[in-house]
Amino acid sequence: MTRYSAFSLLRQTLRGHRGWDRAWRDPEPKRHYDVIIIGGGGHGLASAYYLAKLHGVRNVAVVEKGYLGSGNTGRNTTIVRSNYLIEPNAHFYEHSLKLWEGLSEDLNYNVMFSQRGVLNLAHSDGQMDAAARRGNAMRLNGIDAELLDREQVRVMVPHLDFSEHARFPIFGGLYQPRGGTARHDAVAWGFARGASALGVDIIQNCEVKGIKRQGNRVLGVETSRGFIGAGKIGMAVAGNSSHVAAMAGLKLPIESHVLQAFVTEGLKPWIDTVVTYGVGHFYISQSDKGGLVLGGDIDGYNSYAQKGNLALIEHCMAAGMQILPSLSRTRILRHWGGVMDMSMDGSPIIAKTPIDNFYINGGWCYGGFKATPGSGWVFAHTIAHDKPHPINAEFTLERFAEGRAIDEKGGGPTPNVH
Amino acid sequence: MLIRCPWCGERDHAEYFYGGDATVKRPAENAGVQAWNDYVYLRDNPKGPHRELWQHQAGCREWLVVTRDTLTHDILGVEPVKGAAR
Ligand SMILES: Cc1cc2nc3c(=O)[nH]c(=O)nc-3n(C[C@H](O)[C@H](O)[C@H](O)COP(=O)(O)OP(=O)(O)OC[C@H]3O[C@@H](n4cnc5c(N)ncnc54)[C@H](O)[C@@H]3O)c2cc1C
Ligand SMILES: [Zn+2]
């Protein structure tokens, strides 16, 4: 693998860019691996990378049914933050954010992580109190948070609706300066390249169709490219979690739902942070190409369709117009949907399962992109040691039956409201 | 997505409230933790036909059992909740 650097770029430029190597190898599947990771999204690839890099487990395959990042990794709106209120979430997402901060250097691959901040608006005294409470909890956990008043928000994003006509006037907001955005598919490609260089086989166009089980162990996966044996299997298939877990005989506390997102035509620099609305569900940032990247709620009914309906689009745009009236002048260029693994408490499951050598990583709801490095890091630890790391020890499958749900929002077991 | 209410006719899904999986059954009070865990938390979450509850909230307010394909969003059947096999 060539190291990417200013030198290698210069050398290739002089050769007309004809000498670049493949970023990762494209091997035929072997008959057996020590570990198979199902799912070549960011989480699966990060898990394989950290298994090889930190735990010396290098006889690993990542098996992906389509191409890398064809799932939610390449469909998400790339917001990275760690502004969580309750303990296990705060520590896990902060660990992930710290990994983001060094990721491009660690991978020798530019994931374009941009710490442009994340601003959650508040629109009432009650919401200001809630923002202060969350901010204080974050700071007690060592996470950066700043409570902004109306004037401070106005200085930061002057084109928000500060007029007298605003239906829900802006009272202030909670700001996390270290939050931001990253380039989604670069994250998949960077982890793939890093993992491949350490010996991991990345096998695309290889759908897992069955999981072979004997007693309380899994033996390998039946795929569209034949049977592949495994010492251990970890699944990281996001929206398809229930479907793949069922192949091993497990039923999960998860429903799949569709989440849509939108990109506008390219504009000159307009919003240099990430803004979320506090009344309707709406958030917006601007990509490096100038397109506004925006989205809102899930559609709200079970779906594996990767497409949504118009009612949600109208709702999302209406919410956007309430805080950013000038949005009405921009045109939407593209919109799409992704299948979210909505868990029953809104928090992920990164854990051992009742099957001895089968591990689950799922239940990411709509916030799993920011978790990518952290999720891979703790999942690799869990698989390598057959034991969770303290950071993911509470993200178990059993927590529901045990009454230890990790419900950040207090929404109860209704996946479509988390 | 249009859902044909037996009373009001074909209406946009936005008029309906989604009530989730219609196949889960409330266990007896003393059925034990496992049965209650299954009921409250575990779902088949199928990729394909799914029997689910919708309430025609902005219409007649009746609850319906809708069979819908989660992969295509095709509506395969609508029945009033009363009398529907669950
Ligand atoms: C519109 C949208 C906006 C979002 N916005 C944000 C955001 O701003 N911030 C944030 O943090 N998160 C966001 N998310 C959530 C985030 O994208 C996901 O939680 C995260 O990408 C899940 O990571 P993953 O790598 O595990 O998933 P994926 O990239 O979906 O990877 C799973 C992979 O498994 C593969 N697979 C499935 N079944 C099989 C099989 N049987 N055999 C082999 N392979 C299989 C799939 O093809 C897929 O590539 C958003 C999601 C969407 C859809
Ligand atoms: Zn009706």
Side-chain angles (χ1 to χ4, degrees), chain B residues 3-9 11 15-16 55-64:
Chain B
I3 300 175
R4 187 180 293 281
C5 172
W7 291 280
C8 313
R11 313 293 300 188
E15 288 189 8
Y16 297 80
Q55 185 194 16
H56 195 188
Q57 215 170 37
C60 61
R61 300 191 69 81
E62 283 291 328
W63 280 92
L64 309 171

Side-chain angles (χ1 to χ4, degrees), chain A residues 242-314:
Chain A
S242 299
H243 188 64
V244 171
M247 296 176 191
L250 297 178
K251 195 165 161 180
L252 302 179
I254 287 178
E255 279 182 7
S256 296
H257 284 260
V258 57
L259 177 65
Q260 308 190 55
F262 312 86
V263 167
T264 69
E265 60 194 326
L267 303 175
K268 290 191 173 170
W270 194 50
I271 289 189
D272 62 359
T273 181
V274 179
V275 182
T276 75
Y277 187 23
V279 180
H281 201 152
F282 175 84
Y283 56 85
I284 188 165
S285 65
Q286 189 167 18
S287 80
D288 292 341
K289 280 193 288 190
L292 301 174
V293 182
L294 43 119
D297 240 329
I298 53 176
D299 275 38
Y301 43 81
N302 288 47
S303 175
Y304 285 90
Q306 293 187 324
K307 65 176 183 192
N309 271 286
L310 286 169
L312 191 283
I313 299 179
E314 192 178 353

Side-chain angles (χ1 to χ4, degrees), chain A residues 33-86:
Chain A
Y33 291 91
D34 293 341
V35 177
I36 288 179
I37 304 285
I38 309 173
H43 289 210
L45 294 162
S47 304
Y49 173 73
Y50 290 117
L51 268 171
K53 182 171 178 191
L54 302 179
H55 304 283
V57 184
R58 295 185 173 202
N59 185 19
V60 175
V62 176
V63 178
E64 163 57 45
K65 74 171 172 185
Y67 58 89
L68 300 189
S70 55
N72 294 337
T73 299
R75 291 165 190 270
N76 82 93
T77 47
T78 79
I79 299 167
V80 176
R81 58 187 175 86
S82 63
N83 52 0
Y84 282 78
L85 177 71
I86 57 182

Side-chain angles (χ1 to χ4, degrees), chain A residues 240 242 300 302-304 309, chain B residues 1 18 41 45 47 68 70 73:
Chain A
N240 285 288
S242 299
N302 288 47
S303 175
Y304 285 90
N309 271 286
Chain B
M1 208 158 66
Y18 183 62
Y41 294 116
N45 191 19
K47 193 191 267 195
R68 191 180 53 94
T70 59
H73 295 171

Side-chain angles (χ1 to χ4, degrees), chain B residues 16-67:
Chain B
Y16 297 80
F17 168 81
Y18 183 62
D21 191 334
T23 66
V24 290
K25 288 207 185 64
R26 189 183 176 89
E29 250 165 59
N30 57 1
V33 170
Q34 212 44 59
W36 276 93
N37 181 49
D38 282 13
Y39 167 66
V40 178
Y41 294 116
L42 302 188
R43 297 292 177 266
D44 288 327
N45 191 19
K47 193 191 267 195
H50 186 227
R51 284 174 72 73
E52 54 198 26
L53 295 166
W54 290 82
Q55 185 194 16
H56 195 188
Q57 215 170 37
C60 61
R61 300 191 69 81
E62 283 291 328
W63 280 92
L64 309 171
V65 175
V66 176
T67 308

Side-chain angles (χ1 to χ4, degrees), chain A residues 221-253:
Chain A
V221 290
E222 299 288 355
T223 77
S224 48
R225 294 170 68 172
F227 178 78
I228 314 176
K232 295 178 177 180
I233 299 176
M235 54 169 274
V237 295
N240 285 288
S241 292
S242 299
H243 188 64
V244 171
M247 296 176 191
L250 297 178
K251 195 165 161 180
L252 302 179

